[in-house]
Amino acid sequence: MEEKGKKEEAEGKRKCEGETIEVSESSDGVDEVLSRLEELQLGVEEPELSEQQLRINDQLQEDESLAMESIYGDNFFILERHRGLRSFQIHIYLEAPSEIAMTAKLNSTGDLGAKIDSSDDFSYHFKVQYLPPIWLTCLLPKSYPSHIPPYFTLSVQWLSSTNISNLCSKLDSIWREQPGQEVIYQWVEWLHSCSLSLLGYDEDIMLGPYGKRHEGDRRALSGISSPDVDIPLLKVYNDERLHENFLKNLHECCICFCEYAGNDQCLVAKFH
């Protein structure tokens, strides 16, 4: 029983350098990311480098990792080293308008209050202010940054693998524009600021398509499942973020006109 308990605990957590990170995705999803990174590594023949160049690369990687941790704080997670190589994950929240229109194609009129659009399909429309983050997971080869880019995967809960593949291609082009230099900060900032524009989703995001097989980039990991799963998930995530922001921000009391943080509102109401 004790051994089983330890195994279950290990599946829910990943030990990192000096800390333990809770894994919010299923263990299968985490294993898939690590498996893809290993697959990408095995598919590339790295150049032989001098000891001096290896030391330079190692120092540049360490400096970059420390800088990223300083910039992104709680959204930056150092993972276990894989065969001696540094790896980490960054959760990237997109820069988007105040409201994001979402549309999902449905298969029947009974699903989620669907309404007919101009096509023969049924669609469901809703709006959110927040989307689950993009997960960029990187494995740094010994020849980075001098010769080859990081191995990486992009995991997105609400995009198809085809669209995620387009984002992967853009990251490749950013590396080609500045080979031999640290690139991860540029990747993160581009994903944060420009992802929606590249995909043409400045005003409306189309979920799916569902029921179709996509042969995309192996680095693209899509979390889309079905409208019945994805729509409630996005709504719940949005509601949780709205509530979290309400608790953090200041609000004016309609009785005394003083400002209080959202988590103090209930307490203040008792004294009026």
Side-chain angles (χ1 to χ4, degrees), residues 157-173:
Q157 183 68 43
W158 42 273
L159 279 179
S160 69
S161 58
T162 299
N163 282 326
I164 304 173
S165 296
N166 292 334
L167 300 181
C168 292
S169 296
K170 179 60 182 180
L171 298 192
D172 291 337
S173 69

Side-chain angles (χ1 to χ4, degrees), residues 165-223:
S165 296
N166 292 334
L167 300 181
C168 292
S169 296
K170 179 60 182 180
L171 298 192
D172 291 337
S173 69
I174 293 174
W175 163 259
R176 288 193 296 268
E177 292 169 1
Q178 53 178 64
Q181 301 180 39
E182 300 92 324
V183 75
I184 297 171
Y185 175 78
Q186 285 79 3
W187 281 357
V188 174
E189 286 303 297
W190 185 88
L191 288 169
H192 166 69
S193 303
C194 304
S195 295
L196 295 181
S197 296
L198 176 76
L199 300 173
Y201 286 162
D202 299 85
E203 298 180 356
D204 190 4
I205 294 178
M206 177 69 70
L207 297 177
Y210 297 102
K212 295 182 180 180
R213 184 175 180 179
H214 301 279
E215 296 295 340
D217 195 306
R218 292 291 293 167
R219 299 169 297 182
L221 302 177
S222 173

Side-chain angles (χ1 to χ4, degrees), residues 133-147:
I134 294 174
W135 287 18
L136 171 65
T137 309
C138 295
L139 180 67
L140 306 185
K142 292 182 179 180
S143 51
Y144 169 77
S146 63
H147 289 74

Side-chain angles (χ1 to χ4, degrees), residues 21-252:
I21 294 176
E22 297 288 341
V23 177
S24 59
E25 295 288 321
S26 68
S27 59
D28 290 341
V30 173
D31 290 341
E32 184 177 8
V33 170
L34 298 177
S35 175
R36 291 289 176 92
L37 288 173
E38 183 175 8
E39 175 187 323
L40 294 168
Q41 179 191 6
L42 295 175
V44 175
E45 184 176 352
E46 293 194 33
E48 292 188 10
L49 304 180
S50 66
E51 289 297 325
Q52 181 182 9
Q53 185 63 66
L54 288 172
R55 286 194 298 270
I56 293 173
N57 282 350
D58 184 68
Q59 185 62 55
L60 290 173
Q61 289 181 18
E62 182 177 354
D63 293 344
E64 184 177 31
S65 179
L66 291 172
M68 298 295 288
E69 186 174 16
S70 175
I71 294 170
Y72 298 107
D74 293 340
N75 295 321
F76 181 84
F77 305 92
I78 299 175
L79 306 177
E80 287 183 339
R81 287 195 176 225
H82 179 72
R83 297 182 179 178
L85 304 182
R86 289 183 175 86
S87 62
F88 50 79
Q89 185 176 87
I90 307 171
H91 295 183
I92 304 165
Y93 295 86
L94 302 188
E95 186 175 285
S98 57
E99 277 194 327
I100 305 168
M102 311 289 293
T103 301
K105 296 289 186 179
L106 306 176
N107 296 324
S108 66
T109 57
D111 290 337
L112 298 167
K115 63 180 181 180
I116 299 177
D117 62 8
S118 57
S119 71
D120 293 331
D121 296 324
F122 296 100
S123 61
Y124 178 77
H125 305 274
F126 63 103
K127 292 184 178 181
V128 297
Q129 293 184 32
Y130 300 98
L131 289 168
I134 294 174
W135 287 18
L136 171 65
T137 309
C138 295
L139 180 67
L140 306 185
K142 292 182 179 180
S143 51
Y144 169 77
S146 63
H147 289 74
I148 63 176
Y151 308 113
F152 71 89
T153 61
L154 285 179
S155 307
V156 190
Q157 183 68 43
W158 42 273
L159 279 179
S160 69
S161 58
T162 299
N163 282 326
I164 304 173
S165 296
N166 292 334
L167 300 181
C168 292
S169 296
K170 179 60 182 180
L171 298 192
D172 291 337
S173 69
I174 293 174
W175 163 259
R176 288 193 296 268
E177 292 169 1
Q178 53 178 64
Q181 301 180 39
E182 300 92 324
V183 75
I184 297 171
Y185 175 78
Q186 285 79 3
W187 281 357
V188 174
E189 286 303 297
W190 185 88
L191 288 169
H192 166 69
S193 303
C194 304
S195 295
L196 295 181
S197 296
L198 176 76
L199 300 173
Y201 286 162
D202 299 85
E203 298 180 356
D204 190 4
I205 294 178
M206 177 69 70
L207 297 177
Y210 297 102
K212 295 182 180 180
R213 184 175 180 179
H214 301 279
E215 296 295 340
D217 195 306
R218 292 291 293 167
R219 299 169 297 182
L221 302 177
S222 173
I224 63 171
S225 176
S226 69
D228 290 339
V229 172
D230 296 343
I231 293 173
L233 183 148
L234 290 170
K235 285 187 170 183
V236 168
Y237 178 85
N238 182 65
D239 290 344
E240 289 177 348
R241 286 291 305 276
L242 288 172
H243 181 66
E244 178 183 328
N245 285 344
F246 174 82
L247 296 179
K248 290 180 179 178
N249 294 333
L250 294 175
H251 307 275
E252 184 179 275

